Amino acid sequence: MVPRGVWCVLLTCLFYTSSADKDFFTSIGQMTDLLYTEKDLVTSLKDYIRAEESKLEQVKTWAQKLDVLSATATQDPEGFLGHPVNAFKLMKRLNTEWGELESLVLKDMSDGFISNLTIQRQHFPNDDDQTGAAKALMRLQDTYRLDTQTISTGELPGTNTDVTMSPMTVEDCFELGKIAYSDADYYHTELWMEQALKQLDGGEESTVDMVTILDYLSYSIYQQGELERALDYTKRLLKLDSAHQRANGNLKYFEYQLAKQKKVEAEEGLKEKEEREREKREVSEKKGRPADYLPERRKYEQLCRGEGIKMTPRRQSRMFCRYSDNNRHPLYVLGPVKQEDEWDRPRIIRYHDILSNSEIEKVKELAKPRLRRATISNPITGVLETAHYRISKSAWLTAYEDPVVDKINQRIEDITGLNVKTAEELQVANYGVGGQYEPHFDFGRKDEPDAFKELGTGNRIATWLIYMSDVPSGGATVFTDVGAAVWPKKGSAVFWYNLFASGEGDYSTRHAACPVLVGNKWVSNKWIHERGQEFRRRCTLDESD
């Protein structure tokens, strides 16, 4: 048995959380390090178990030997001790060997494990990471219209059948419900508490009791205005625990409110009833929507699901794939690039096979140690803050630090014909659990005159976006104003102009990165600026040019 003090230390280590906000959940690439950390800890734990088992085996062997000896000796104690060797060995056992056994039993075998755990715990996720991952699951649930059963079993669209996935337990579902409840998100509280209850009813064993789940469930349903269902769950709770104080109080209150509601409904005329039904339908339609829900979000989520794309067959017929030498650029005359039209207005072009696998791996290798949570400048204070609308981590790579980065920059210049010397550095981003980037513009609008003032290179004239991984499910780049969706394809790049030739911003380029449902999304992008393009993309007053 492990001494009580040891367990206290073990538990302290296991549940220790750093005060630093690591945001592990915002980058799958960095989360992979946690798997190796956990693997190392498991190895250390197994070493500790083997040491404990070895110690217990020695104690067991000693006990068995003495058990046989004692049984024989006590049958005729005087005769046994009449033999001088037996007498000597008894003295030796009691004076020396029992002392050695005491030392063996008291020996702490956990030092190595605890030392390793103490070192590794500084890399553990904290409460914010757990909460962030839970909210990401709920965001995926809403965006891709997944039911709790699908998520709980792990049978998500695009899931690789070769990947081992352990289903969510009652405790997991309950934890999601609690996190939603702490945000007063009663819609998701209801969904996940119901899933926990369903799994309990199905016979799954759990440390979470049904009474606790029903307590959360009835209240969250009441908060959404469904008195009858809240009352039904409260009655079910009281059948299990008739003395539950809060449930007894809720029962009386729900019955009173329900009776009052039915009385009002009985006194209403036909017109009032129709109005009430209309209000109920509106409430039902809005159920689950956050307070800041905007019409654009509905369009954004539709496009993420592959719905609502607005390309007509006539327009589609004008989209082509071609080999491009970029106006007979010397590099591409003999080896033209594969160019594909993704959209016409705004014109979005995809270039295939832009990066090789070795180049991609090198870029990821350079970026991974430097990945940091995306930040924005507070428009009022000017202080950098975490961008909560962007669930990813990013790093910036300069051309001089590795030949691969310099080659990529030159390749972008050769293909686009634009000067990249005034462009921003190559940004590499890795998306986390449910990783996304909500609708935004890449260029600075008129109400943001100082957006890129510190760079001194003008506005962002164009965007070059490289997909460095395939994404089995989700992760599309969608353009919400025009209904376009571009899906990740490893090694390809998409390009579009953010500004018209007149210098005015093209508001149809508003775009977003959809949440990653299954997979690991790596991208890199180059934001190309106005300065240096004066003779490469000439200005015109005609915005249609």
Side-chain angles (χ1 to χ4, degrees):
M1 179 180 290
V2 181
R4 183 179 177 185
V6 172
W7 280 119
C8 290
V9 175
L10 284 173
L11 290 171
T12 302
C13 292
L14 283 169
F15 291 104
Y16 173 89
T17 54
S18 157
S19 59
D21 183 5
K22 301 180 182 66
D23 283 341
F24 281 109
F25 77 98
T26 62
S27 168
I28 295 293
Q30 287 190 326
M31 283 177 66
T32 57
D33 293 340
L34 296 179
L35 290 176
Y36 294 105
T37 298
E38 189 171 51
K39 183 180 180 182
D40 180 54
L41 286 174
V42 170
T43 301
S44 181
L45 180 60
K46 287 165 75 175
D47 290 341
Y48 161 65
I49 292 170
R50 278 193 291 270
E52 286 287 357
E53 287 175 340
S54 175
K55 181 175 80 172
L56 288 173
E57 192 59 39
Q58 293 178 61
V59 174
K60 183 180 177 181
T61 302
W62 169 264
Q64 288 173 339
K65 182 179 74 172
L66 283 190
D67 187 37
V68 173
L69 182 64
S70 298
T72 303
T74 53
Q75 288 177 358
D76 181 10
E78 290 187 4
F80 179 82
L81 291 175
H83 195 296
V85 174
N86 287 342
F88 166 73
K89 291 182 73 172
L90 175 64
M91 296 302 105
K92 178 176 177 289
R93 281 198 305 276
L94 292 173
N95 181 54
T96 305
E97 294 179 15
W98 276 100
E100 291 173 350
L101 180 66
E102 180 183 24
S103 298
L104 177 63
V105 171
L106 293 176
K107 185 178 180 181
D108 187 355
M109 312 300 290
S110 66
D111 286 348
F113 172 63
I114 291 177
S115 176
N116 189 26
L117 187 56
T118 303
I119 293 169
Q120 297 287 8
R121 69 183 183 182
Q122 62 185 309
H123 305 299
F124 283 6
N126 56 25
D127 288 344
D128 289 340
D129 284 302
Q130 184 174 334
T131 300
K135 289 181 177 180
L137 275 180
M138 289 182 262
R139 182 166 58 251
L140 291 173
Q141 180 180 7
D142 294 343
T143 302
Y144 296 105
R145 291 185 175 172
L146 304 172
D147 57 58
T148 52
Q149 179 69 17
T150 297
I151 298 174
S152 180
T153 57
E155 297 172 355
L156 302 175
T159 303
N160 187 341
T161 54
D162 295 332
V163 175
T164 303
M165 190 276 165
S166 55
M168 293 178 70
T169 62
V170 170
E171 287 86 353
D172 294 332
C173 298
F174 178 71
E175 183 64 29
L176 278 176
K178 277 207 309 179
I179 288 171
Y181 183 85
S182 66
D183 277 352
D185 177 2
Y186 301 113
Y187 169 72
H188 287 106
T189 304
E190 175 193 345
L191 292 179
W192 285 102
M193 290 300 173
E194 278 190 332
Q195 181 62 30
L197 186 62
K198 180 181 177 181
Q199 291 180 206
L200 266 185
D201 288 339
E204 183 180 321
E205 293 184 2
S206 172
T207 56
V208 183
D209 63 277
M210 193 173 288
V211 168
T212 304
I213 294 173
L214 288 168
D215 192 18
Y216 275 102
L217 191 51
S218 61
Y219 184 75
S220 62
I221 290 171
Y222 158 69
Q223 283 290 341
Q224 295 177 84
E226 298 185 53
L227 277 169
E228 288 190 53
R229 287 184 63 220
L231 183 59
D232 289 341
Y233 279 118
T234 302
K235 288 177 179 178
R236 183 175 173 183
L237 187 161
L238 288 169
K239 284 182 181 178
L240 298 172
D241 183 2
S242 58
H244 198 285
Q245 188 175 354
R246 183 167 49 253
N248 276 301
N250 287 344
L251 178 70
K252 293 177 183 177
Y253 179 72
F254 293 163
E255 287 178 336
Y256 167 75
Q257 289 290 340
L258 194 58
K260 185 178 176 182
Q261 180 179 300
K262 287 181 177 178
K263 183 180 178 183
V264 171
E265 288 176 358
E267 294 173 352
E268 284 178 345
L270 181 61
K271 188 175 181 180
E272 287 84 356
K273 285 182 179 179
E274 289 176 350
E275 180 65 22
R276 179 177 287 275
E277 287 299 319
R278 186 185 63 79
E279 289 175 358
K280 283 183 179 179
R281 284 194 300 271
E282 287 180 355
V283 169
S284 179
E285 288 172 1
K286 292 177 181 178
K287 193 174 181 182
R289 293 181 182 178
D292 60 350
Y293 191 91
L294 298 172
E296 184 184 32
R297 178 163 174 170
R298 179 172 172 270
K299 189 185 297 183
Y300 159 58
E301 292 177 348
Q302 278 185 324
L303 291 169
C304 290
R305 295 192 296 269
E307 304 167 4
I309 298 172
K310 295 180 179 178
M311 179 66 75
T312 63
R314 182 180 177 85
R315 286 169 62 189
Q316 184 69 46
S317 68
R318 297 172 183 166
M319 312 296 283
F320 295 98
C321 295
R322 64 186 70 81
Y323 284 100
S324 172
D325 60 12
N326 192 23
N327 295 321
R328 300 194 63 76
H329 188 287
L331 283 175
Y332 299 110
V333 171
L334 294 178
V337 291
K338 301 171 186 174
Q339 189 185 80
E340 178 183 0
D341 294 330
E342 284 283 354
W343 208 257
D344 54 356
R345 298 187 299 273
R347 192 178 185 210
I348 304 167
I349 300 172
R350 187 196 294 266
Y351 294 93
H352 293 273
D353 302 325
I354 292 301
L355 291 191
S356 65
N357 286 335
S358 60
E359 288 174 324
I360 288 172
E361 290 308 311
K362 185 61 180 180
V363 169
K364 287 164 64 175
E365 178 191 325
L366 293 169
K368 194 172 179 181
R370 295 186 240 167
L371 290 174
R372 297 292 182 270
R373 182 76 186 271
T375 57
I376 55 169
S377 176
N378 185 303
I380 299 174
T381 65
V383 176
L384 285 178
E385 299 174 345
T386 299
H388 294 288
Y389 57 80
R390 187 177 189 181
I391 308 301
S392 66
K393 285 187 176 179
S394 56
W396 299 86
L397 303 182
T398 56
Y400 58 78
E401 60 188 292
D402 194 276
V404 167
V405 181
D406 192 34
K407 284 180 182 177
I408 292 171
N409 288 341
Q410 188 60 52
R411 199 170 299 161
I412 295 170
E413 179 163 320
D414 292 339
I415 293 173
T416 63
L418 297 175
N419 187 346
V420 299
K421 291 180 177 60
T422 56
E424 294 173 52
E425 303 296 352
L426 187 71
Q427 185 189 50
V428 181
N430 179 223
Y431 288 80
V433 183
Q436 66 167 5
Y437 191 173
E438 291 182 359
H440 61 282
F441 297 103
D442 280 351
F443 64 90
R445 274 78 66 211
K446 289 182 178 178
D447 58 348
E448 301 172 308
D450 299 330
F452 306 108
K453 186 177 181 180
E454 72 280 3
L455 298 177
T457 53
N459 211 341
R460 287 174 175 168
I461 193 173
T463 295
W464 175 274
L465 174 65
I466 305 172
Y467 296 112
M468 300 199 301
S469 64
D470 291 315
V471 181
S473 188
T477 305
V478 297
F479 292 74
T480 51
D481 276 21
V482 297
V486 179
W487 304 92
K489 184 177 180 184
K490 188 177 181 180
S492 71
V494 290
F495 172 79
W496 68 86
Y497 280 104
N498 297 305
L499 305 180
F500 290 112
S502 65
E504 292 294 316
D506 184 353
Y507 284 80
S508 68
T509 61
R510 185 169 175 82
H511 61 286
C514 294
V516 177
L517 181 55
V518 176
N520 186 6
K521 183 180 178 183
W522 284 88
V523 298
S524 56
N525 61 275
K526 195 79 171 173
W527 282 308
I528 304 170
H529 283 248
E530 291 177 293
R531 298 293 179 265
Q533 318 308 335
E534 292 84 357
F535 298 103
R536 299 195 182 206
R537 193 199 190 206
R538 294 183 180 277
C539 180
T540 174
L541 297 179
D542 184 3
E543 290 191 3
S544 64
D545 185 1

